[in-house]
Amino acid sequence: MGSHIWLVTGASCGLGQALVNEVLSSGGRVIAVTRDNEPLQPLTTAFPGRLRTVSVGITDAGTPRPVLDDAITGFGRLDVVVNSAGYALAGPFEELDGTELRAQFEVGFFAVANVLRAALPHLRAAKAGRVLQISSPTGRIGAPEMSAYTAGKHALEGLSVSLAAELTPLGIRTTIVEPGAARTDFRANRASRLPGSPALPDYLPVHEALARSATAAARQVGDPARMAQALVALADMPNPPLRLPFGSDALAGVENARSDQLEELRRFATLSACTDRPKAI
Ligand SMILES: NC(=O)c1ccc[n+]([C@@H]2O[C@H](COP(=O)([O-])OP(=O)(O)OC[C@H]3O[C@@H](n4cnc5c(N)ncnc54)[C@H](OP(=O)(O)O)[C@@H]3O)[C@@H](O)[C@H]2O)c1
């Protein structure tokens, strides 16, 4: 485990930076992808030769591949790729404009695709490796006020489930990680993405709920350092899960949603099945 070479996006802060720290502390090497390398300077100094920082726009389709290729070649190979970069566009759907919606998907979905396009050829060449996709419980359930973020995470999970089926026969395992609320700046960053236009009066309670949740940092149960340890443990499992919620809140949220979905499926099973063509006599 200690000798793995990782590529981590969103490494400037939060979960990404906690992971970079954990991997380096356990003997691994990291290609840390950021928009600004400055926050990683102390780790670069503390772990000489084991951290390569790459400042590149992961949302620019053509840009990341040559830059990441270079960094991966510099270390000689790649073992684990982690797509952690993300932010949440929050607000009632009717108040979000198309540009904001596309920007959410650029980071939450297309940037992931750009990074995978750079990373997968290296993993395929080795016929081994791990892809860890940082999603959210909202990647499989809905969340009011978070339609754009939720849609982006659903897209990420759809990509990842299909990718897992393509990559497993090639020796590459994929895990979708669904953290619950973690004590990072994620919520503060989310609030700052609220549209500046005045709220439609009908959605005032939504804005108030968002403002309350942005300041509720002390109630987030998830510890990014422990999540980072769990990611390192995942990368070493011979048979990792396809999906894994992180945190008791994520676990409960997914379990409740699943049981509601199953109950609804059963309640309307007759209507579902009645659309079959009549059986030939
Ligand atoms: N924290 C939570 O409660 C929580 C819960 C569920 C899921 N998640 C997921 O966990 C992942 C990490 O979140 P976090 O808690 O570590 O949040 P964070 O502390 O806000 O860190 C987010 C990271 O993503 C990067 N990022 C944001 N927008 C970007 C863009 N346009 N291009 C490139 N990089 C960008 C940020 O870089 P800059 O510093 O350059 O902005 C930062 O490194 C995200 O995918 C998030 O959806 C978090």
Side-chain angles (χ1 to χ4, degrees):
M1 170 167 68
S3 59
H4 281 345
I5 297 168
W6 295 61
L7 187 155
V8 180
T9 72
S12 64
C13 60
L15 182 56
Q17 192 186 102
L19 179 60
V20 173
N21 190 23
E22 179 61 30
V23 171
L24 292 171
S25 303
S26 54
R29 284 174 283 173
V30 185
I31 298 161
V33 185
T34 63
R35 290 189 288 191
D36 173 14
N37 292 334
E38 190 54 37
L40 291 175
Q41 201 47 54
L43 287 175
T44 308
T45 309
F47 297 96
R50 292 207 279 126
L51 174 60
R52 281 169 188 262
T53 53
V54 173
S55 198
V56 68
I58 52 175
T59 54
D60 303 335
T63 319
R65 186 160 180 179
V67 179
L68 297 183
D69 267 349
D70 234 36
I72 294 166
T73 308
F75 272 150
R77 63 167 210 279
L78 178 67
D79 300 308
V80 188
V81 55
V82 185
N83 281 298
S84 188
Y87 73 93
L89 171 62
F93 171 73
E94 281 194 78
E95 293 182 3
L96 308 176
D97 70 34
T99 308
E100 289 171 309
L101 214 50
R102 282 175 194 279
Q104 177 76 98
F105 270 72
E106 286 297 341
V107 179
F109 180 78
F110 290 106
V112 173
N114 294 338
V115 170
L116 288 174
R117 278 188 225 287
L120 289 179
H122 297 272
L123 302 186
R124 273 192 299 104
K127 297 212 174 331
R130 298 300 165 99
V131 176
L132 303 179
Q133 306 279 63
I134 309 302
S135 179
S136 156
T138 61
R140 45 178 163 165
I141 61 184
E145 315 106 49
M146 302 291 284
S147 54
Y149 179 67
T150 299
K153 290 299 192 190
H154 271 68
L156 172 65
E157 295 216 5
L159 166 71
S160 306
V161 170
S162 305
L163 193 66
E166 290 177 3
L167 295 180
T168 300
L170 305 179
I172 303 161
R173 302 300 297 266
T174 304
T175 297
I176 299 162
V177 174
E178 299 166 327
R183 225 166 276 198
T184 67
D185 286 336
F186 183 69
R187 284 192 182 196
N189 293 340
R190 174 184 81 181
S192 72
R193 311 284 174 154
L194 276 171
S197 56
L200 293 171
D202 282 344
Y203 296 116
L204 196 58
V206 172
H207 280 261
E208 287 166 354
L210 280 169
R212 279 195 301 278
S213 98
T215 55
R219 290 200 296 278
Q220 292 156 313
V221 299
D223 178 348
R226 283 169 183 255
M227 288 180 175
Q229 287 166 6
L231 287 169
V232 170
L234 254 181
D236 205 36
M237 282 181 194
N239 283 307
L242 174 60
R243 284 184 165 101
L244 186 66
F246 271 6
S248 54
D249 55 345
L251 200 56
V254 170
E255 273 183 344
N256 290 341
R258 277 287 172 260
S259 91
D260 287 352
Q261 284 170 358
L262 195 59
E263 193 275 324
E264 187 178 81
L265 204 65
R266 288 180 179 146
R267 192 148 44 96
F268 293 97
T270 309
L271 184 57
S272 293
C274 81
T275 60
D276 290 0
R277 285 162 56 95
K279 286 201 174 64
I281 304 168

